Amino acid sequence: MHPLVAATPTPVHPLPRLAKALGLEPEQLWVKREDLTGLAGGGNKARKLQHFMSEALSGGYRVLVTGGGPQSNHARMTAAAAAMNGLGCVLVLRRPETEDLSGNLLLDRMLGAQIHWVDPIPFAALNQSIVDIAGAHTQKAYPIPIGGSSLPGAIAYAQVAQELSTQLTFDLVVVANGSGGTQAGLAAGLGDHARVAGVNVGAQDGIDAFVTDLAAQAAAALGLPTPNGAAQIDHGRIGLAYGVPTKECEEALLLVARTEGLLLDPVYTGKAMAGLIAWARHGRLDGKRVVFVHTGGLPGLLSTRYTQWMGAALVDS
């Protein structure tokens, strides 16, 4: 067995054409390419999985158990990490209206994961199902929370914040907030919640307190001061529900693709970029150097549901 190693450090580069389109100066807008971490298509979960895999391997576990939505990026990357190390993998996924084998779900199956479908249940109940299924497994099974959003995952992104600080001087980081661990870790590493703007994509309730508390835990684990303030989260970009793209998200995907050749996804990064675009247009980013954290997610865009949505949008674009 070999522990998972993400392809790091990930690059940071400017987005001058997008900046111009938003009325910003060319050097104001940058992207941290966490989509290039290299594990089964890349994404921010590779950083977190390095920590979880270390614990699982040292503890003699034979199976990884995690979960999420049917197009979960975290599930796909956990399945890949398990395959790399000869471990089994069980994915506890919320049952969709149609079990279409495309996008991340197709990759889950290719990577050998066993799918355990559950009815659409709340976030906390799904996390409990992961723990219960791991406990009942016939082999020693290691439960990983949805999105890897617990202390090890937050520690991983506190370290990313420190990596980013060696690459660039900046004022603000913008990131999608699904299960909260990435934003919490970034705030812990930077020492100030005001320097991290999260965009809520609607995955769970009570996310503000969760991020604030987890950031404090991650900072303490690393011997860092508790971050100043409380989590800064934009709740206005969710739309109808988690996973349901918005018109703002559609605009963000097309604008970023056509100005920078950068591909976002409709569940996480598209909604996060929609938030950034709105803030720029309302003057909230004036005079600031901003880094957008690209957390990955491209396979989700290639699921049948979202290719049909984007295909319809392209007819009029």
Side-chain angles (χ1 to χ4, degrees):
M1 295 184 183
H2 55 95
L4 171 69
V5 178
T8 61
T10 55
V12 178
H13 60 78
L15 300 173
R17 286 173 53 83
L18 178 60
K20 181 179 179 180
L22 299 178
L24 303 175
E25 295 298 320
E27 291 292 307
Q28 277 187 259
L29 190 56
W30 296 69
V31 61
K32 173 71 166 163
R33 296 295 302 273
E34 291 295 279
D35 58 317
L36 300 180
T37 52
L39 176 65
N44 63 322
K45 307 306 180 182
R47 303 268 200 172
K48 301 178 181 186
L49 282 163
Q50 287 186 131
H51 290 256
F52 290 118
M53 287 302 305
S54 178
E55 290 187 0
L57 293 175
S58 64
Y61 289 88
R62 299 301 306 151
V63 177
L64 305 181
V65 183
T66 195
Q71 287 297 327
S72 168
N73 299 299
H74 168 69
R76 177 243 312 166
M77 297 182 77
T78 300
M84 288 176 66
N85 288 280
L87 303 183
C89 181
V90 178
L91 302 178
V92 186
L93 303 181
R94 292 190 184 100
R95 189 183 305 278
E97 293 181 5
T98 58
E99 295 173 20
D100 178 65
L101 201 62
S102 63
N104 278 307
L105 187 56
L106 173 68
L107 300 180
D108 295 340
R109 294 294 181 94
M110 289 179 64
L111 291 163
Q114 175 188 345
I115 309 298
H116 183 102
W117 293 110
V118 295
D119 292 333
I121 55 178
F123 190 94
L126 183 56
N127 260 332
Q128 186 58 52
S129 292
I130 292 168
V131 172
D132 293 344
I133 289 168
H137 204 281
T138 55
Q139 293 182 290
K140 190 177 182 182
Y142 183 82
I144 302 175
I146 300 168
S149 290
S150 61
L151 185 57
I155 288 172
Y157 266 84
Q159 294 166 340
V160 172
Q162 295 168 338
E163 174 183 297
L164 176 57
S165 295
T166 68
Q167 295 174 307
L168 186 72
T169 301
F170 59 92
D171 302 297
L172 181 69
V173 173
V174 176
V175 66
N177 186 318
S179 50
T182 301
Q183 181 175 351
L186 291 169
L190 296 176
D192 191 347
H193 284 287
R195 296 189 67 196
V196 186
V199 179
N200 186 8
V201 302
Q204 68 164 316
D205 296 327
I207 195 70
D208 299 74
F210 177 81
V211 170
T212 302
D213 292 346
L214 184 57
Q217 293 173 38
L222 291 169
L224 300 173
T226 300
N228 297 323
Q232 304 297 302
I233 303 176
D234 180 349
H235 298 286
R237 314 296 158 189
I238 297 172
L240 293 176
Y242 170 73
V244 179
T246 62
K247 191 67 178 177
E248 281 185 317
C249 176
E250 173 192 311
E251 181 198 7
L253 263 66
L254 293 178
L255 180 61
V256 174
R258 292 173 176 181
T259 57
E260 299 289 354
L262 192 64
L263 299 174
L264 306 180
D265 81 290
V267 180
Y268 297 98
T269 53
K271 288 185 176 181
M273 182 58 75
L276 186 155
I277 290 169
W279 303 336
R281 288 172 175 167
H282 287 89
R284 288 182 55 188
L285 304 183
D286 290 355
K288 295 181 179 179
R289 177 175 279 182
V290 179
V291 180
F292 181 79
V293 179
H294 189 335
T295 52
L298 180 60
L301 176 61
L302 303 180
S303 68
T304 301
R305 174 187 182 185
Y306 294 121
T307 56
Q308 290 175 344
W309 163 74
M310 182 50 70
L314 291 171
V315 171
D316 301 321
S317 67

